[in-house]
């Protein structure tokens, strides 16, 4: 049963990561129109990428830790 619970945890984590990325993309897309050139500086770009990368990385680290147990 422990193996099934671990796999279900990984699957749920992947689904939530996908939903989070879709939500982040949709919210970013609605805030910015394509009529003007991009005005994001390097700091804003870095923070935007990190806002998506951090939860995904955390999910992968958790999955790796569960796989080693």
């Amino acid at each position: 049963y422990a193996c099934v619970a671990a796999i279900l945890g990984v699957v749920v984590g992947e689904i939530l990561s996908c939903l989070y990325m879709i939500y982040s993309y949709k919210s970013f897309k609605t805030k910015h129109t394509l009529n003007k050139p991009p005005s994001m500086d390097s700091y804003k770009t870095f923070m935007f990428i990190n806002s998506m990368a951090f939860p995904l990385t955390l999910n992968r680290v958790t999955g790796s830790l569960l796989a080693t147990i």
Side-chain angles (χ1 to χ4, degrees):
Y1 293 108
C3 184
V4 172
I7 296 299
L8 285 176
V10 170
V11 170
V12 169
E14 290 293 326
I15 290 170
L16 290 176
S17 294
C18 182
L19 292 174
Y20 178 74
M21 285 192 55
I22 291 170
Y23 170 75
S24 294
Y25 175 73
K26 295 281 186 182
S27 66
F28 178 78
K29 190 175 178 182
T30 57
K31 289 179 187 176
H32 298 83
T33 60
L34 298 176
N35 298 345
K36 60 182 179 179
S39 62
M40 289 179 68
D41 60 348
S42 59
Y43 179 74
K44 285 184 181 179
T45 304
F46 176 74
M47 292 306 290
F48 177 68
I49 291 171
N50 270 346
S51 71
M52 286 192 295
F54 184 71
L56 295 174
T57 304
L58 201 61
N59 182 37
R60 292 293 181 179
V61 168
T62 305
S64 295
L65 288 174
L66 286 174
T68 58
I69 293 177

